[in-house]
Amino acid sequence: MAMKLRPWLLAPIIIIVLLAGLAVFLWPHYEGNVPRITLEKAPKGLGLKNEIDFQVTDQGKGLRWVRVYLRQGQKTAMLLEHKPEGPTASVALKATAAPLAMGFSQGPAELVIEASDNSLRNWGSGNLSQIVLPLAIDTTPPRIMQRSGITYVNRGGSAVAVYEIDDGTTEHGVMVGQRRFKGHNPWPDQPRAAMCLFAFPFDEPRESRVSLWAADHAGNKANAPLRWRLRWRNFRADKLNASDNFLAEIQARFGMQAPPTAAATPLAVFQWVNVELREQNHQRIAQAASQTGPYQLWSGTFLRAPGKTMAGFGEHRTYFHNGQEISQGYHLGIDLADVERSPVPAAAGGVVRLAENLGIYGNCVIVDHGQGLSTLYGHLSQMGVTVGQTVEMGQELGLSGATGLALGDHLHFSVMVDGIFVVPTEWWDPHWIQDNVLYHYEESGLPTPLATPAGGKAAGQPQAAPTVK
Ligand SMILES: [Zn+2]
């Protein structure tokens, strides 16, 4: 006997099948991937005006909304609301906050960032993520005050300032014109004491101002006067004749590196080398020289390699070819010529930050002496050290040569402060070092900021300055 299908039994089966189908269809819409909120640098404080950069990503159905609030006690204000128009997996946002103008007061507060996605979870409102960042609203600019006496600086020369900073100061130093030199805190038992090696660059206008600067955890910035005097001096100007042989040699060495537009003639290659390549090399040098730590790695007087001085610092060179001016440049070091392939000693103790073939400088070594001070050795025929290696004063770095933009065997020696080329002779002079560097620590009642066992680690990897609490 055949079974008879009864309609009243069929209906629930159809409903169950439909519901199952709906569930399979809706399942991905119930994904549980929570949006991810990331900040490159979480703000520790908020000053007068702030920008908070952050990113939100979602692995599933995409972002629905992103909101940022500032909260203090009972008061809450929305800083940002973002609703993407289409399915969005990732968004970079910037919230701005001017807490005092918005009626908040100085003191502890919370920054809240929330995001939700297009999942149907939580009764359709999506996966919610939230981060709460405790911070302080602090609009008081940091205080910074000179501790040492008057600082004398030669045009193109180096100088040191010793000063006192506030709690919460995160960055500080000396400003010369538009250039910022970074200061350090090398006295662990006196975390408010700070020093900054700076330079009055050879190309800085005479009327440029010099001052102390500081920035704190809330982004508040301050400037303070520095007692200083500039000793102006003039640098030599030279006319150099570039012969056909010289230009041919430069083309032979650099022609392959020059871009096609500059590689057409020996003259064009030389002009490219003397301007563009020089600039590229100086950027690389500044980058290598920025790897430094808060402690002084040198002591005594910097060593001068043996040899005759062939060219000085700051010389302005104008190049002529067949009576026509073809290029100009500044010589930012001292050339010392001794016997060919003579050993090149490290001028002072430090850490090798660069040892490579570097354009106009040929085989080139840079040694970091701490606190932003470094020395450069160019045109070497051979290099005997590697990056990261600790060297002592007098240690052989390589042999002199004529690589790069050099025709005869000589050593090109440069000194840099925060990547800015300075007059090297000051660092060869024990009286200058005593009167212009060490004396400022003495008169401030501070020891020479050497890396001591009590002061933490010695040379090696770049170190961050101790944080000021
Ligand atoms: Zn030179």
Side-chain angles (χ1 to χ4, degrees):
M1 194 171 115
M3 214 161 61
K4 215 171 172 196
L5 205 60
R6 283 158 224 181
W8 56 267
L9 226 159
L10 197 62
I13 291 172
I14 290 173
I15 288 168
I16 286 165
V17 167
L18 279 177
L19 278 178
L22 193 67
V24 167
F25 171 75
L26 285 179
W27 184 246
H29 294 269
Y30 279 86
E31 48 89 4
N33 289 308
V34 183
R36 240 167 62 95
I37 302 167
T38 45
L39 286 95
E40 213 160 90
K41 214 176 133 200
K44 293 249 163 36
L46 294 179
L48 275 180
K49 266 188 180 172
N50 312 269
E51 288 187 341
I52 304 120
D53 290 300
F54 63 100
Q55 200 162 9
V56 190
T57 52
D58 185 70
Q59 296 267 323
K61 303 300 289 181
L63 296 165
R64 185 179 304 207
W65 52 256
V66 181
R67 289 174 196 146
V68 182
Y69 305 90
L70 184 59
R71 200 155 72 190
Q72 187 178 45
Q74 299 301 307
K75 187 176 165 62
T76 300
M78 195 187 286
L79 304 180
L80 175 96
E81 179 166 37
H82 176 79
K83 286 181 177 163
E85 298 203 343
T88 304
S90 179
V91 65
L93 295 169
K94 187 194 290 291
T96 54
L100 288 202
M102 297 170 86
F104 290 92
S105 36
Q106 310 265 3
E110 283 176 335
L111 185 77
V112 184
I113 305 178
E114 287 178 345
S116 165
D117 64 11
N118 289 314
S119 168
L120 293 178
R121 287 212 182 187
N122 303 315
W123 306 105
S125 61
N127 296 298
L128 183 75
S129 60
Q130 186 194 58
I131 58 170
V132 178
L133 300 165
L135 41 71
I137 295 173
D138 171 10
T139 58
T140 315
R143 273 173 309 176
I144 183 166
M145 205 177 73
Q146 188 175 2
R147 198 159 152 165
S148 51
I150 191 158
T151 299
Y152 291 91
V153 53
N154 296 309
R155 181 190 183 198
S158 312
V160 70
V162 183
Y163 49 91
E164 196 85 19
I165 52 169
D166 247 353
D167 293 347
T169 301
T170 48
E171 284 183 297
H172 50 84
V174 172
M175 209 160 165
V176 180
Q178 297 302 309
R179 285 182 170 104
R180 262 170 216 279
F181 292 87
K182 281 184 72 151
H184 302 274
N185 302 88
W187 296 282
D189 53 344
Q190 289 195 57
R192 288 182 173 198
M195 54 73 63
C196 178
L197 271 177
F198 67 98
F200 194 91
F202 77 100
D203 57 354
E204 190 68 39
R206 193 170 185 163
E207 59 279 6
S208 283
R209 300 175 67 94
V210 176
S211 62
L212 295 167
W213 67 274
D216 71 10
H217 61 123
N220 298 302
K221 293 182 179 77
N223 278 80
L226 181 79
R227 293 184 297 279
W228 73 291
R229 293 278 180 282
L230 174 65
R231 292 195 184 107
W232 193 254
R233 55 167 288 195
N234 289 313
F235 296 108
R236 252 178 82 147
D238 261 348
K239 286 180 179 155
L240 297 178
N241 187 49
S243 66
D244 287 329
N245 282 345
F246 170 79
L247 294 181
E249 179 62 31
I250 298 306
Q251 186 183 35
R253 289 189 192 185
F254 295 101
M256 297 296 282
Q257 292 178 49
T261 45
T265 63
L267 177 60
V269 171
F270 171 71
Q271 287 171 328
W272 172 79
V273 166
N274 203 39
V275 179
E276 267 98 325
L277 186 59
R278 184 182 292 270
E279 177 56 33
Q280 283 175 30
N281 297 158
H282 286 177
Q283 284 176 19
R284 173 84 185 102
I285 289 168
Q287 186 260 328
S290 70
Q291 298 168 51
T292 193
Y295 300 107
Q296 176 181 317
L297 305 179
W298 59 274
S299 59
T301 309
F302 281 51
L303 202 65
R304 181 193 184 281
K308 233 180 103 186
T309 300
M310 305 303 285
F313 177 88
E315 282 183 21
H316 181 246
R317 292 169 167 179
T318 309
Y319 296 84
F320 290 86
H321 180 65
N322 295 333
Q324 295 282 313
E325 185 185 319
I326 53 166
S327 192
Q328 294 186 9
Y330 285 96
H331 187 244
L332 300 178
I334 291 186
D335 290 345
L336 298 168
D338 197 23
V339 290
E340 283 187 17
R341 296 176 64 80
S342 52
V344 170
V351 183
V352 177
R353 298 295 183 205
L354 181 141
E356 66 189 36
N357 192 294
L358 186 66
I360 63 168
Y361 292 99
N363 292 322
C364 178
V365 171
I366 293 177
V367 178
D368 160 40
H369 306 292
Q371 303 169 330
L373 182 65
S374 55
T375 49
L376 177 151
Y377 311 79
H379 308 315
L380 306 182
S381 57
Q382 217 172 300
M383 294 182 283
V385 288
T386 50
V387 171
Q389 187 180 336
T390 299
V391 293
E392 286 170 21
M393 179 197 250
Q395 190 171 328
E396 190 178 309
L397 302 174
L399 301 176
S400 71
T403 54
L405 189 55
L407 292 187
D409 186 301
H410 72 275
L411 168 68
H412 174 99
F413 176 71
S414 287
V415 181
M416 293 164 288
V417 171
D418 253 4
I420 302 286
F421 291 95
V422 294
V423 177
T425 47
E426 293 178 340
W427 296 93
W428 288 340
D429 177 357
H431 301 291
W432 181 87
I433 290 180
Q434 175 56 39
D435 297 348
N436 295 281
V437 181
L438 304 179
Y439 173 71
H440 288 309
Y441 303 133
E442 291 164 19
E443 67 173 351
S444 306
L446 293 161
T448 304
L450 298 166
T452 56
K457 301 130 260 172
Q461 290 310 301
Q463 305 142 22
T467 23
V468 182
K469 291 264 164 62

